Amino acid sequence: MIVIISSILSLGLLSGIILFRKNTIPVRKEPLDWHETISVIIPARNEEKNMPELLESLLKQSIKIDELIVVDDHSEDRTKTIAESYGVNVFTAPELPDGWTGKTWAVWNGYLQSHGETLVFLDADIRLAETAIQSLLLAQKNQGGVLSVVPCHITEKFYEKFAMVLNLLGVFAFTSPFEARNKEKGLYGACIVAKRADYDKIGGHQRIRSEMLDDLNLGASFQNAGIKVTNYIGHGLVSFRMYPGGFKSELEGFAKGAVLSTASLNKYTLFTIILWILGLIVSPSWFFLIGHPVFFPLFIGYILYAVEMIYINRFVGRFGLIHPVFHFLSVIFFLIVVAYSLYQAVFRKKVIWKGRYIRVRGDKS
């Protein structure tokens, strides 16, 4: 038993080391000689609290942005009014047609209104450092193809920090070394940079209009067209605060794609993630086995998992010390999310997000 438990914990911890790469965006502080026009497109539904911070950070960028386009996705709050007060291009998307999801429709209509040679797609909860856009542009220029960023997750309230394990898994999935040759490699939809010519080549969001996991399918479309996909972590440049609206929105937000998103992962990425999760789930059992021969390896494994997460969190998000030290709290939330996601995907065949039901296969209901 001691050998089995020690092996599970050792393989789990080793998997975390293998999966995590400090794939940060190189920071470009000196002026960038950029001659292409830039369009930033922001789909927004009920984002009145996020609009000011995002738009203020965009207006302070160290490089000139030619177009700032906010697409109001029929918000029920003051999203459109607030965006208009910043003097950017704001319009309401046409009524959502059958066969489209709300976000893909909003992004597509923003694209149709744009003229930039370089397209930057941002979610409304994104925050940018002053050199973020120019650093993203330089990274895209050096890498070629299309890139996306997993933002650093800024949390404030205690319940928001329950997302820690899910955030770590997201970074593992998008930046795993095993994903380099994955033909179904996805993009992280919160922050995407692409050349207009490449976006046109794949048919843009129109091509994946009915897909609930639009960013993953968009990445696969680029890959299948021979256009390179690169994913970074946003440490120091790109951040977001995901679910300040309450625990319910956090649960719904993570559950809408928690299970389905694993289908596009490379088998080795999925295998090492499972090993990491298995060790993480097993390690807290030391508390119930005090005096048992397996107590010591379990306790050491638990501490090492906490240390590993504290280190990775320096680059992934602000989760404080309580949640990595008592990481079973985030594990419980992770298991609840997975169970709820399975329920929606397998039994209900649809998920709910921002007041809309989206069928698993993409059709709006």
Side-chain angles (χ1 to χ4, degrees):
M1 177 66 78
I2 293 177
V3 173
I4 294 174
I5 293 296
S6 298
S7 298
I8 291 173
L9 294 169
S10 298
L11 289 172
L13 288 161
L14 178 61
S15 294
I17 295 171
I18 292 171
L19 286 166
F20 179 66
R21 291 291 180 270
K22 292 189 293 184
N23 196 24
T24 57
I25 310 156
V27 178
R28 178 69 180 252
K29 293 184 178 180
E30 65 272 19
L32 178 63
D33 187 19
W34 191 263
H35 302 290
E36 296 182 3
T37 51
I38 306 164
S39 295
V40 175
I41 299 168
I42 306 162
R45 178 173 170 84
N46 299 334
E47 298 285 1
E48 64 177 9
K49 293 181 180 179
N50 285 318
M51 274 292 109
E53 287 195 58
L54 172 58
L55 294 178
E56 285 172 12
S57 69
L58 281 166
L59 293 173
K60 294 177 182 177
Q61 288 302 297
S62 56
I63 190 171
K64 180 180 180 295
I65 298 172
D66 299 281
E67 291 181 323
L68 277 176
I69 301 172
V70 176
V71 187
D72 175 43
D73 184 14
H74 302 274
S75 298
E76 298 164 339
D77 60 9
R78 298 177 61 248
T79 294
K80 185 176 181 181
T81 301
I82 291 172
E84 288 173 336
S85 71
Y86 283 86
V88 301
N89 182 2
V90 185
F91 69 95
T92 300
E95 287 298 321
L96 183 63
D98 291 336
W100 287 78
T101 66
K103 182 177 179 180
T104 56
W105 180 241
V107 173
W108 179 248
N109 278 277
Y111 158 75
L112 293 176
Q113 293 287 326
S114 71
H115 302 91
E117 298 164 277
T118 300
L119 304 173
V120 181
F121 302 102
L122 298 176
D123 281 359
D125 55 4
I126 289 290
R127 309 289 178 263
L128 301 168
E130 288 186 15
T131 58
I133 295 295
Q134 73 173 39
S135 297
L136 287 169
L137 295 177
L138 181 63
Q140 188 281 324
K141 181 180 179 180
N142 291 337
Q143 288 286 340
V146 59
L147 66 83
S148 76
V149 178
V150 183
C152 179
H153 190 182
I154 308 302
T155 63
E156 295 183 11
K157 298 179 181 178
F158 187 78
Y159 78 85
E160 293 177 73
K161 301 180 191 296
F162 286 128
M164 180 185 70
V165 166
L166 285 157
N167 273 123
L168 292 175
L169 292 176
V171 168
F172 290 165
F174 281 95
T175 63
S176 161
F178 302 119
E179 294 301 302
R181 297 183 180 180
N182 183 0
K183 293 182 179 179
E184 300 298 315
K185 186 178 183 179
L187 289 162
Y188 198 88
C191 179
I192 297 174
V193 180
K195 293 297 183 185
R196 189 179 200 91
D198 290 338
Y199 185 79
D200 288 341
K201 182 178 179 180
I202 67 162
H205 282 75
Q206 184 180 39
R207 181 170 178 172
I208 44 95
R209 57 186 174 273
S210 63
E211 299 293 344
M212 181 183 66
L213 302 176
D214 55 287
D215 45 1
L216 299 182
N217 287 281
L218 189 68
S221 296
F222 278 110
Q223 287 277 97
N224 292 331
I227 299 167
K228 183 180 180 181
V229 170
T230 305
N231 294 316
Y232 291 95
I233 56 177
H235 175 69
L237 288 175
V238 182
S239 63
F240 59 7
R241 185 180 174 198
M242 294 184 75
Y243 303 114
F247 182 81
K248 181 181 178 182
S249 66
E250 184 175 34
L251 176 61
E252 290 177 349
F254 280 113
K256 62 183 170 69
V259 172
L260 296 173
S261 60
T262 61
S264 63
L265 291 176
N266 175 281
K267 62 182 179 181
Y268 297 113
T269 297
L270 186 58
F271 179 67
T272 47
I273 283 177
I274 290 172
L275 286 178
W276 188 79
I277 293 172
L278 184 59
L280 186 64
I281 291 174
V282 168
S283 66
S285 59
W286 66 266
F287 184 78
F288 304 100
L289 295 170
I290 296 174
H292 193 279
V294 298
F295 165 79
F296 187 70
L298 284 169
F299 182 73
I300 294 300
Y302 183 92
I303 297 299
L304 290 176
Y305 260 104
V307 171
E308 185 174 74
M309 286 188 281
I310 289 170
Y311 172 74
I312 298 175
N313 284 346
R314 293 171 55 198
F315 304 94
V316 173
R318 297 180 187 172
F319 297 102
L321 283 176
I322 292 177
H323 283 264
V325 171
F326 298 97
H327 46 75
F328 61 86
L329 296 172
S330 287
V331 170
I332 292 171
F333 180 68
F334 161 74
L335 295 174
I336 292 171
V337 166
V338 170
Y340 186 46
S341 185
L342 278 170
Y343 166 70
Q344 292 186 108
V346 176
F347 297 102
R348 296 182 69 181
K349 303 292 185 183
K350 58 186 178 181
V351 301
I352 184 171
W353 180 235
K354 293 197 174 182
R356 287 177 174 147
Y357 283 99
I358 305 172
R359 295 193 184 278
V360 167
R361 291 188 177 180
D363 297 327
K364 182 185 71 120
S365 111

